[in-house]
Amino acid sequence: AVSGVSAWRGCQAGVRAAPLEPFKLPCAVEHVISMGLQMAQMGGIAIRVDGLEGDLVSQDPGDDEIFVVADRVRLRQVLVNLLTNSLRYTPAPGKVTVAADLTTGNEGSPVALGAREVVFRVTDTGGGIAAEHIPYLLERFFALDRPTSHTAE
């Protein structure tokens, strides 16, 4: 927990724990997806993976050529957090979908105009987040109650 707090403070201060580096995207997320599949199976939740040209994690080594330039550790951490939270707050027999789309940056995008980017989405059939909590989601140490404490509208 202390290392997580230190990492969070470093992010807020603009300190980067690891340099940006080019790497193969499917290789980087394969472990996260495998972990999610195991958690989903144990919790009685169906998990679906959609992604780049059909599969986020390619089974064919020849298709493993989608490179990104990013902080590999942070990318993995964000994906693990999104997926585990989604699985934790989705009651059985729910469904979680992990998806990735390859898009081109536009005027509203955080990447350069015309640059390609990968957009990840994790969606689920859980109760959702109450509207009054959304403004606080990125605040340090903010935590929601378990999903049984509110209902989706």
Side-chain angles (χ1 to χ4, degrees), residues 91-140:
K95 182 173 92 172
V96 172
T97 301
V98 179
D101 296 308
L102 188 59
T103 65
T104 302
N106 56 39
E107 288 187 32
S109 173
V111 299
L113 190 62
R116 295 174 71 185
E117 65 182 343
V118 178
V119 177
F120 288 96
R121 287 185 323 278
V122 178
T123 57
D124 60 58
T125 57
I129 299 170
E132 65 267 16
H133 294 144
I134 292 174
Y136 305 104
L137 289 179
L138 298 178
E139 284 190 14
R140 193 179 324 176

Side-chain angles (χ1 to χ4, degrees), residues 9-128:
R9 287 186 180 148
C11 287
Q12 286 187 322
V15 175
R16 189 169 279 292
L20 299 179
E21 61 179 326
F23 57 90
K24 292 180 181 180
L25 183 62
C27 292
V29 298
E30 185 173 41
H31 176 74
V32 175
I33 298 301
S34 294
M35 180 255 340
L37 289 169
Q38 290 173 1
M39 285 182 64
Q41 186 177 28
M42 291 182 347
I45 300 168
I47 189 166
R48 178 179 166 165
V49 179
D50 292 332
L52 306 166
E53 283 75 46
D55 291 318
L56 181 59
V57 180
S58 175
Q59 300 303 316
D60 181 359
D63 291 342
D64 203 20
E65 298 300 322
I66 300 167
F67 283 85
V68 295
V69 176
D71 180 334
R72 184 189 312 240
V73 173
R74 292 280 184 245
L75 174 64
R76 190 178 218 171
Q77 183 179 24
V78 167
L79 291 175
V80 164
N81 288 346
L82 289 171
L83 186 54
T84 56
N85 282 338
S86 189
L87 290 167
R88 183 178 299 133
Y89 292 103
T90 299
K95 182 173 92 172
V96 172
T97 301
V98 179
D101 296 308
L102 188 59
T103 65
T104 302
N106 56 39
E107 288 187 32
S109 173
V111 299
L113 190 62
R116 295 174 71 185
E117 65 182 343
V118 178
V119 177
F120 288 96
R121 287 185 323 278
V122 178
T123 57
D124 60 58
T125 57

